[in-house]
Structures are given as structure tokens and as C-alpha cells.
Amino acid sequence: MSLQKFDTVIDRMERAFDYAMNLGQPIDAIKVLYSMNAQLPDDMQLDMEDIESESMVKQFISEYKPQLKSLILEYRQRLMNF
């Protein structure tokens, strides 16, 4: 995938995540995080846990969102070097 295409896809997903959170739909936001993770190469993907209850939603987002953001930046660097 090219850097431009990756940036476009991730930008759309980040907007979808923000939209879901602003609408108070954190479960949909988590689905977006799973999709963002799937855009990364297999060797960079997070091993995300399944949500067992709604009480875990905030913890899931606060744990995985920053990690995912860091991996996205790392993958962008990788794409820029190709």
C-alpha cells in the first residue's frame, strides 16, 4: 500500500472513530480501532483482546488507542522509506 493511500484510509477511520465517540457510541469506535489495526502489516498488528462487558470499553480505548497511534506512525515511517 502506498503512503498516500494508507494516510487516506487511516484519516477516514480516525474521523469515523471521533464521530462514533462524539455520538456516544464507544462500541462502534472500538470496531473502528479493530479496522485500523487490520490496516497494519501482520508483524505490526496489536493482539487486541475481545470486549467482555461494556464496563471494559473505556479501558480498552485508553489502552489500545495510543498504542495503535504509535504503530501507525511507525508504519508511515516504514512506507516513507520505501
Side-chain angles (χ1 to χ4, degrees):
M1 177 181 308
S2 72
L3 176 60
Q4 183 178 6
K5 183 174 180 176
F6 179 75
D7 282 346
T8 300
V9 169
I10 293 299
D11 182 56
R12 286 181 186 160
M13 289 181 173
E14 286 176 343
R15 283 185 276 149
F17 175 85
D18 291 341
Y19 186 72
M21 290 299 291
N22 288 335
L23 289 176
Q25 299 173 337
I27 299 296
D28 289 336
I30 287 173
K31 291 176 184 177
V32 174
L33 291 181
Y34 280 115
S35 296
M36 291 170 81
N37 191 47
Q39 294 300 312
L40 295 170
D42 291 342
D43 66 322
M44 295 184 78
Q45 288 184 8
L46 295 173
D47 186 22
M48 295 177 149
E49 301 171 10
D50 290 331
I51 299 288
E52 295 176 13
S53 69
E54 283 202 37
S55 64
M56 296 177 61
V57 169
K58 287 183 181 180
Q59 178 184 347
F60 183 95
I61 291 172
S62 66
E63 180 179 344
Y64 290 114
K65 177 78 167 120
Q67 290 179 41
L68 195 54
K69 185 175 182 176
S70 177
L71 286 172
I72 287 168
L73 292 174
E74 185 178 329
Y75 185 54
R76 285 191 81 255
Q77 279 296 125
R78 189 186 290 185
L79 288 173
M80 286 193 300
N81 291 331
F82 282 116

